[in-house]
Structure formats: C-alpha cells, structure tokens
Amino acid sequence: AIGGGAALKPRVRNAFGEDATHVFRSVTEGGSEGRTRRRDVFIAAYDALAGIDTPAFEEVTTHVGELMQLNNEMMIACRQRPWWSKYLRGGAALVVLGAALYYERTRR
C-alpha cells in the first residue's frame, strides 16, 4: 500500500494541532483525483528507476519496503483513544474504589 497521509492527517491534527498538518498539504490536495494522479506518478517513477529482474530493481524494492515499514510504524504511533475513554477509566476507578470501601465497611 502506498500512502496513508490522508488518513493520518486527522490523527496528527487531534494530537498536535492544525499547525502540525502542513506536511500533509501536498498529499491531500486535489481530493481523490489528486491522490490517484500522484499515486500513478509515484509508481511510474519507481518503476522507471530500474528494469525488472535486475540488481538495481531488487535494491529499489528493498528500500521501498523499508520506507513503507517506517511509514506504517509512524501511523501506528499516532493511534489515539476516543475522547470519552478518560471518563470511562475514571468512572471504572471510582466504581472499584466504591466497591472496595463498601466491602471494607460491611466486613466489620
């Protein structure tokens, strides 16, 4: 898979603010037509670097795989929890605390 910038942009905006999303401008411009055009240009550029079944092709393939792995790691690092999860965790902690206090008082 190539890309992921359009999907990553909202996560980065939520985590770091709108000012951190300028790096996605060239990725998200033009909507789906722009993405399709850029993807086709990207594929053609990499395909033109070396002929298939040559050492150079294998080298390019290896490096592209490494770069895509780094891209995937970056996307995974930007995972985020739902906005309400902190309230759920806090509420669960209060329920556990309340149950422990109730148990302690009724045990005597």
Side-chain angles (χ1 to χ4, degrees):
I2 295 171
L8 187 59
K9 183 179 178 181
R11 293 178 182 180
V12 170
R13 179 179 40 242
N14 290 340
F16 304 106
E18 186 67 35
D19 291 342
T21 63
H22 69 282
V23 297
F24 297 103
R25 204 168 294 132
S26 64
V27 175
T28 58
E29 287 176 347
S32 63
E33 289 177 9
R35 283 192 294 276
T36 300
R37 182 178 40 77
R38 285 188 300 278
R39 183 196 65 217
D40 293 344
V41 168
F42 177 86
I43 291 169
Y46 272 91
D47 285 350
L49 289 176
I52 295 177
D53 296 328
T54 64
F57 183 82
E58 294 301 321
E59 186 177 354
V60 168
T61 303
T62 300
H63 290 302
V64 168
E66 292 169 359
L67 292 172
M68 290 309 299
Q69 181 60 38
L70 292 171
N71 183 50
N72 292 338
E73 290 172 10
M74 180 180 67
M75 291 180 71
I76 290 170
C78 287
R79 282 186 184 160
Q80 63 185 126
R81 294 187 174 110
W83 63 269
W84 46 264
S85 67
K86 60 185 170 195
Y87 300 111
L88 182 65
R89 288 192 309 272
L94 288 175
V95 167
V96 168
L97 178 63
L101 289 173
Y102 176 78
Y103 173 77
E104 195 59 36
R105 287 185 180 189
T106 57
R107 203 176 103 191
R108 293 183 197 176

